[in-house]
Amino acid sequence: MEIKKTAVAGTLESSDCMVTIEPSAKGLELDLESAVIRQYGKRIAEVAMETLGRLGVENARVSIVDKGALDCTIKARVECAVMRSAEYEGRIGWGGVIK
Amino acid sequence: MTNPNKYRLRRTMMFLNCQKPGLIKDPYIYKPDSIMLDLEDAVAEREKDAARFSLYHALQEIDYRGVERVVRINGLDTDLWREDVRCAVAGGCDSIRIPKTETADDVRTVEYAIEEAEREFSRPAGSVLIMAALESARGVINAMSICDSSERLFGIALSGGDYSRDLQISISGTGVEFMGARQHMIIAARAAKIQCFDTVWTNLDDMEGFRKEVEVIHSMGFDGKSIINPRQIPVVHEIYTPKEKDIIFAEKVIREIDDKKAKGIGVFTVDGKMIDIAFYDGAKRTIALAKASGIYKGDL
């Protein structure tokens, strides 16, 4: 999926995360900020990168500000940011690229 | 075959905004019977897409510990509801709530979309139930045909906010403005042998008013109430918990009817009250409620 424009999904409320995704030509770059980065930073990055991989995103600058989000929320916010960025408005691949 | 969840206990249905991960991550700790995962009015227009992704993953990954997961889709007058149905069915929801239902055809239209989604996402046919919210004068007038519209339909619910707007009245807090709709809906639901649920009480500072309203709808025969805050759950459950004398009486009624039926006796007395087979289902319901409330110690 091609990242066409800067897009944001999520909030800075507790149990949420804010994901910002921007076009890039240098592969995937991930910037992560979290109060629990020592305990969960690696896991959050894994979930985000797996999600980007499923969506076929190869080039993007991704920033995540985590406020204690569960894995399911991280996936949801990354997916939403990617779809908005790619300006995708078709049927969603629930259970396929979204899982 | 009837879905075994069609007649499950639904005293409380707690509305939760799918846009807010903090709300949908662990509502089971408050022990509602059902949660209403909302994609409609609570979700801002520009966040409809985000709410769907949150809903799908929450349904897939969060163990709601037996709490029924109902999804309120957007209205049939929007271009959102079909994707809402795909998302909810793919995620594994138990039921779908149709807002602003006005006709039996509204229910059938959603039913067809659910059937398609069940096939697309390999879920058993008939596994997703439906409930219909009546939010207008036309919807309330058509309650009977709506109740008879689908085998999947487990209940109807009054939605007081939109209904009062349609009637061009304001909500007084006394319930007088909902009397006609409530009575009509409960009669239609019972005639169709489905459940009936009352509207939300929005003034969280008036818990005494809330309690009185729950007592009224309980005595009218409603199966439960839509709620907006966990503080409301114990009040509803307390009022819906049978009293000890009612449980003892129900046990006697069930045992006596079973015994007298075997002996060919149709009418008899229990504790001085005339009893016949018509009391049987009510007594069974009392025992089921006592069991669900965790207070039943008998062996029925």
Side-chain angles (χ1 to χ4, degrees), chain B residues 20-296:
Chain B
K20 307 267 187 190
L23 294 181
I24 63 174
K25 72 183 169 80
D26 55 4
Y28 50 81
I29 61 174
Y30 304 111
K31 297 186 167 53
D33 293 325
S34 309
I35 52 171
M36 186 76 61
L37 296 155
D38 192 13
L39 294 173
E40 199 214 10
D41 285 354
V43 178
E45 206 58 39
R46 66 172 193 281
E47 296 295 333
K48 295 289 188 185
D49 56 345
R52 275 198 208 116
F53 289 111
S54 290
L55 170 71
Y56 176 80
H57 290 294
L59 287 171
Q60 285 277 295
E61 296 181 29
I62 296 174
D63 176 4
Y64 285 102
R65 304 181 192 189
V67 175
E68 182 185 33
R69 301 147 318 147
V70 184
V71 175
R72 180 164 77 164
I73 59 171
N74 283 283
L76 274 58
D77 56 344
T78 71
D79 59 1
L80 299 164
W81 72 270
R82 287 185 186 277
E83 194 62 38
D84 292 345
V85 168
R86 290 184 69 242
C87 173
V89 174
C93 75
D94 299 305
S95 308
I96 284 179
R97 173 172 168 136
I98 310 170
K100 300 181 179 68
T101 312
E102 295 211 318
T103 66
D105 278 346
D106 289 346
V107 178
R108 291 190 201 103
T109 299
V110 175
E111 183 174 34
Y112 296 146
I114 291 173
E115 284 170 3
E116 277 181 26
E118 283 175 342
R119 283 192 293 273
E120 180 181 0
F121 300 108
S122 304
R123 290 196 57 184
S127 58
V128 179
L129 293 168
I130 299 175
M131 69 178 292
L134 311 190
E135 311 188 22
S136 66
R138 183 171 295 278
V140 170
I141 288 291
N142 288 337
M144 190 67 249
S145 60
I146 290 169
C147 287
D148 279 334
S149 61
S150 165
E151 175 58 29
R152 289 177 192 255
L153 192 77
F154 71 76
I156 54 172
L158 176 62
S159 184
D162 285 292
Y163 176 72
S164 62
R165 274 189 289 281
D166 198 39
L167 248 57
Q168 301 172 23
I169 53 167
S170 54
I171 297 174
S172 66
T174 65
V176 66
E177 61 278 7
F178 295 142
M179 282 171 59
R182 280 177 173 149
Q183 196 69 70
H184 182 68
M185 286 173 62
I186 189 75
I187 293 169
R190 287 293 177 262
K193 301 204 182 319
I194 63 170
Q195 296 177 339
C196 194
F197 308 97
D198 192 45
T199 187
V200 294
W201 175 271
T202 55
N203 185 356
L204 293 174
D205 292 332
D206 183 6
M207 290 300 284
E208 199 46 44
F210 175 69
R211 171 176 285 277
K212 283 182 187 158
E213 181 161 276
V214 178
E215 285 169 348
V216 168
I217 62 117
H218 176 243
S219 65
M220 290 181 78
F222 278 81
D223 293 274
K225 189 163 179 67
S226 302
I227 57 166
I228 56 166
N229 187 287
R231 283 165 55 205
Q232 297 176 323
I233 295 172
V235 176
V236 179
H237 287 188
E238 180 204 320
I239 290 167
Y240 273 79
T241 299
K243 307 293 176 281
E244 194 178 348
K245 67 176 176 56
D246 299 325
I247 297 169
I248 292 168
F249 183 70
E251 282 183 316
K252 285 182 183 173
V253 167
I254 291 168
R255 290 208 166 97
E256 286 292 315
I257 288 177
D258 286 343
D259 179 56
K260 296 288 191 297
K261 204 162 56 178
K263 293 175 181 165
I265 301 169
V267 181
F268 51 92
T269 60
V270 172
D271 295 346
K273 290 180 184 158
M274 194 190 84
I275 299 298
D276 60 20
I277 191 70
F279 285 77
Y280 198 70
D281 287 349
K284 285 269 190 187
R285 200 158 47 243
T286 298
I287 298 299
L289 273 168
K291 285 179 181 172
S293 307
I295 61 165
Y296 187 64

Side-chain angles (χ1 to χ4, degrees), chain A residues 9-11 13-17 54 68 70-73 75-77 79-80 83-84 90-96 98-99, chain B residues 18-22 25 46-58 60-62 83 86-87 90-91 116 120-121:
Chain A
T11 70
E13 293 173 14
S14 177
S15 304
D16 203 347
C17 64
R54 252 196 319 277
L70 297 176
D71 286 6
C72 58
T73 301
K75 284 187 210 175
R77 297 315 194 194
E79 287 160 356
C80 185
M83 295 292 177
R84 288 174 176 180
R91 279 157 66 96
I92 305 291
W94 309 113
I98 306 299
K99 67 179 179 182
Chain B
C18 283
Q19 194 183 328
K20 307 267 187 190
K25 72 183 169 80
R46 66 172 193 281
E47 296 295 333
K48 295 289 188 185
D49 56 345
R52 275 198 208 116
F53 289 111
S54 290
L55 170 71
Y56 176 80
H57 290 294
Q60 285 277 295
E61 296 181 29
I62 296 174
E83 194 62 38
R86 290 184 69 242
C87 173
E116 277 181 26
E120 180 181 0
F121 300 108

